Amino acid sequence: MTFRSVWRAIREFLFTKASKEFLIFLFFLALSGIFWLSLTLNETYEREFAVPVSVVGIPKNAVLTSDEVDTVRVTIRDKGIILVAYRYGETLSRIDLPFRNYTHNNGTGLIPASEIQKYIYQRLGSSSKITAIKPEKMEFYYSYGSKKQVPVRWSGRVIPEELYFISRVTYSPDSVTIFASEEKLDSISMVYTEQLNYANFRDTLTVDCNLAKLKGVKTVPDHVRVSFYTDVLTEERISGIPIVGINLPEGKALRTFPAKISVSFVAGVSVYRNLKPEDFTVIVDYNEIQRNPSEKCRIYLKDTPSGISRVKLETTMVDYLIESQE
């Protein structure tokens, strides 16, 4: 089908009686729509607007430790056409409030809703009326350079698959700088990530996340990368751990039978590969033997390496002999 034939078919349709009636219908439909819209926009309504509020004019020696931009919700009453202009125009794009007018010289600033309302009215037309504004006040926090470095720790619920466990966690960066008042700085020893929720993973999990917000505290940077390294759990045993006597008086020696013991434990495969009998300490307390003489003495596991759990001695009672040394 050629363009000429298509154009001929359209032209013939437009000049038919049915098409003329259809065009007349469309004309009156558009006219009634315009009439309805003009009546609607001329009615009075109330609409809520989210207005960003920013603190400006901050001195060079001060650091704003709260959010740089906050939001107030303002309900305005006016004709519909005016409210549409506010909604899609630049009138309520942002309100700037001077820092020096609202500081209390104690690290905090307070801007009452009445002050914010005054600045908003300067932007509105004479027919507009503010009927509500929330919140009733806006607080901001600042610091004159007080800061310190604190470590980062993760927070939340991170659980690998069954038979796996988290063997190591790394952070990049592993510490951040916080800016706050001296009082707040003294109360903060570390900062935490936002709540992390991950489960059923077996390979290394790396997460880019934000740090949890603290009121009146600015964190630089405010996000970190956390890596969770996993390992396979295994139940293992190490033998040949010597039993050592403690609190022995001078001239006394303690022998146990057996002289060495085994321990069982649960650990990751990579941890187990690096373990040695010297990493464990098993003891007998001479003072306890003197208090409770018996044919056997009790042995205790004093020191264990990190990264293992459910450590258990092969036995807790052994034969012993106390000898005098000349």
Side-chain angles (χ1 to χ4, degrees), residues 11 31 38 61 88 104 109 136 182 210 223 242 244 246 258 313:
R11 187 175 58 183
L31 188 64
S38 63
N61 63 335
Y88 299 104
H104 295 162
E136 296 181 353
E182 292 288 351
N210 294 324
H223 59 279
V244 180
I246 64 170
L313 289 166

Side-chain angles (χ1 to χ4, degrees), residues 36-188:
W36 173 83
L37 183 62
S38 63
L39 287 178
T40 301
L41 293 179
N42 204 43
E43 292 289 330
T44 299
Y45 300 93
E46 285 190 0
R47 290 291 182 270
E48 186 179 77
F49 297 85
V51 182
V53 177
S54 178
V55 178
V56 298
I58 301 169
K60 291 183 178 180
N61 63 335
V63 177
L64 201 64
T65 57
S66 53
D67 292 337
E68 295 182 0
V69 179
D70 208 339
T71 301
V72 296
R73 309 197 73 84
V74 183
T75 303
I76 301 174
R77 178 188 296 163
D78 208 333
K79 292 184 177 180
I81 192 169
I82 303 297
L83 297 179
V84 168
Y86 292 157
R87 177 72 66 187
Y88 299 104
E90 297 294 322
T91 302
L92 300 176
S93 59
R94 194 175 80 170
I95 303 296
D96 292 334
L97 300 177
F99 174 88
R100 66 179 183 276
N101 290 4
Y102 305 103
T103 55
H104 295 162
N105 296 322
N106 62 351
T108 64
L110 180 64
I111 308 173
S114 58
E115 283 291 304
I116 300 173
Q117 181 173 300
K118 181 179 68 175
Y119 279 89
I120 294 176
Y121 263 128
Q122 294 175 4
R123 304 283 191 89
L124 302 179
S126 58
S127 60
S128 299
K129 179 176 177 58
I130 296 175
T131 58
I133 184 168
K134 296 179 290 187
E136 296 181 353
K137 61 183 179 180
M138 191 183 91
E139 291 181 296
F140 62 90
Y141 299 85
Y142 62 93
S143 165
Y144 285 110
S146 299
K147 62 181 180 179
K148 77 174 182 179
Q149 199 89 357
V150 293
V152 177
R153 293 292 180 267
W154 70 275
S155 176
R157 183 175 177 270
V158 180
I159 303 174
E161 284 186 8
E162 190 176 2
L163 301 181
Y164 285 78
F165 77 110
I166 297 172
S167 60
R168 184 164 57 97
V169 181
T170 63
Y171 304 87
S172 180
D174 60 2
S175 61
V176 293
T177 302
I178 58 172
F179 296 83
S181 64
E182 292 288 351
E183 182 181 357
K184 279 188 175 293
L185 289 178
D186 291 340
S187 66
I188 300 172

